[in-house]
Amino acid sequence: MKLKEKNIQIAMVIITVMMTILRFIFNEKGRINPDSIRFMRFAHVLPVIDNTTTPVGYPAGIKLFTLFGFDEFWGSKALGITAYLFIIFFCWKKDFYKREAIAVLGLFSFVSLFAYTMSEALIIPFVFLFLYTASQIITGKLEKGKAVFYLSLSLIALYNIRYSALFFIGGTGLYGLLFFRKKYSPVFIISGIIGLAFVVAYKFLFIDYFNENYINQALSIGLHPTSKLLTELIQGLATSFNPFIHIANPGGGFINYIIYGIGGLNILLMIYLLVKNKLSETEYFFIVISISGIVCSYFIQYFYSVISIDYRIISPFIIPVWLIYFNKLFRLFNFKTYLITVLSILSGLAFTWLSKGNYLENRKKVSHFLQSENLDKVPIQFFVLKEENLDKIQIAELLSTVNSNITITFKPEDTLRRTTLTTYKVLQKIKIDKNKYQ
């Protein structure tokens, strides 16, 4: 039985890596978005600080892989795959939710994250390190000063990858307060305070130094009505906890009821299993971290402009719940539980094939175009009239995978420069193979 399951696990890891590669190759842009442009440009110009809208961690990770001969685009993909393999190796070595990690990270939503040029790919392994450190403290294997040091270090590392890790810091302190009678409670409270102190220092010593107006520009009260945010929260949770399809059809329709319905039923089953089975103290910590992260992700939208809640935004916070959920499923169904992941991969493969574009062909065309214009190794700009013109920005995204030193401009006068490209200038010389879905 153990040998059979081990073979299943090895096969699933190999398939997950292959699926991750297919996910960005069968996409016209290689799985990037407007934020990816900023990440790759940031990585390209390091150690110069390009902006403060994102921490340095993820761009620095991409930069590290460029030292091995990758460009920024391929470096980001190598980073995503390495992050996945690190988690599997770590969980296997430490015997820390290893079955659950293989099953959860093989779900199509997480495959999509590791294939994405976005910071979620890097923060996920650090979430596992954070959860492992906390579990060691709760079980008494890590104590006193050493416990505070490692837990605080993990929180600081998370914040240096994504600002939303502030919610991990808050959740850690909250757990210490909720279980203040426990021996380990002071460790969580002190670590939370240290993490918060780092956030304050980071604001004054880093963000304000490079952009003193960032906070004022980023914060705005009353961005969206509650009715809209609540609807998006419900839809976001339903898709995030759907193990098979994590993206709703933007055009609406009956298919979305099925997608939301499967996710909703899965949430109900999660709640049932968590209530029915007694949770350990470590599992209580996982639940507190997940719920506090989701709740904070919701309320931050009232005064900080972020995209609506979806699988990508809350992925770091739902990992603990997924781990507990699969742990309960393994107790009930043993290795048959892997069938959920297999079905998820198959549905993802079908989605990827039906919506396929051809990134490699598009990259070849873009590379030839930029070389012919002598724009492949110089800073370039791409003009769009409005930020809402997503179809035009998609061309800039594709260009950034070849020349990462690209900036979006909204100034018409910039089009007079030879190094400023427009949709017309690009599409009159090359034809891009587009896919239907993202």
Side-chain angles (χ1 to χ4, degrees), residues 66-295:
T66 63
L67 301 178
F68 298 99
F70 296 100
D71 61 19
E72 283 76 21
F73 173 80
W74 290 114
S76 70
K77 303 310 178 186
L79 175 59
I81 293 172
T82 302
Y84 166 74
L85 292 176
F86 169 81
I87 296 170
I88 300 303
F89 173 78
F90 176 82
C91 292
W92 193 286
K93 190 75 173 176
K94 298 295 184 180
D95 195 23
F96 179 72
Y97 288 94
K98 61 182 181 182
R99 305 169 95 195
E100 294 80 3
I102 292 171
V104 170
L105 298 183
L107 297 177
F108 186 49
S109 58
F110 288 100
V111 168
S112 296
L113 290 178
F114 289 117
Y116 220 158
T117 299
M118 290 294 289
S119 57
E120 286 81 11
L122 182 59
I123 200 172
I124 292 175
F126 283 90
V127 170
F128 273 84
L129 290 174
F130 164 68
L131 295 176
Y132 174 76
T133 302
S135 69
Q136 292 293 98
I137 296 170
I138 292 172
T139 55
K141 297 174 183 176
L142 197 58
E143 296 180 318
K144 300 178 181 179
K146 187 178 289 188
V148 171
F149 173 77
Y150 283 112
L151 188 58
S152 301
L153 185 63
S154 65
L155 291 172
I156 291 171
L158 288 167
Y159 188 77
N160 275 280
I161 301 171
R162 284 182 64 84
Y163 289 142
S164 61
L166 174 63
F167 308 149
F168 281 118
I169 295 172
T172 298
L174 175 63
Y175 180 79
L177 293 173
L178 290 175
F179 293 86
F180 68 93
R181 292 182 179 178
K182 298 291 183 179
K183 180 182 178 181
Y184 51 74
S185 173
V187 173
F188 287 89
I189 295 174
I190 294 171
S191 296
I193 292 173
I194 292 174
L196 187 59
F198 177 82
V199 171
V200 174
Y202 188 93
K203 191 268 184 188
F204 288 109
L205 299 178
F206 180 78
I207 294 178
D208 286 355
Y209 180 81
F210 291 100
N211 184 2
E212 61 183 10
N213 295 318
Y214 172 71
I215 300 297
N216 292 331
Q217 293 169 349
L219 300 183
S220 179
I221 304 298
L223 288 172
H224 307 288
T226 299
S227 57
K228 179 176 183 292
L229 293 180
L230 278 176
T231 301
E232 290 178 347
L233 173 65
I234 295 171
Q235 293 173 343
L237 289 174
T239 50
S240 298
F241 285 107
N242 184 325
F244 310 116
I245 303 173
H246 58 275
I247 303 173
N249 182 2
F254 180 74
I255 186 65
N256 281 354
Y257 289 103
I258 298 176
I259 294 172
Y260 296 142
I262 293 174
L265 289 174
N266 195 45
I267 291 173
L268 291 176
L269 179 58
M270 279 184 173
I271 295 173
Y272 172 76
L273 289 178
L274 296 181
V275 171
K276 182 181 178 181
N277 297 277
K278 185 178 180 181
L279 299 179
S280 67
E281 293 182 11
T282 297
E283 290 173 333
Y284 272 118
F285 172 77
F286 284 14
I287 296 296
V288 170
I289 287 295
S290 286
I291 293 177
S292 62
I294 294 170
V295 170

Side-chain angles (χ1 to χ4, degrees), residues 312-327:
R312 183 173 66 81
I313 291 295
I314 61 173
S315 60
F317 307 111
I318 63 176
I319 287 173
V321 173
W322 274 118
L323 292 177
I324 299 174
Y325 179 50
F326 269 87
N327 179 265

Side-chain angles (χ1 to χ4, degrees), residues 387-401:
E387 196 170 356
E388 291 76 23
N389 295 342
L390 297 179
D391 58 330
K392 294 180 174 59
I393 291 181
Q394 284 180 354
I395 298 174
E397 295 167 15
L398 183 56
L399 291 169
S400 73
T401 67

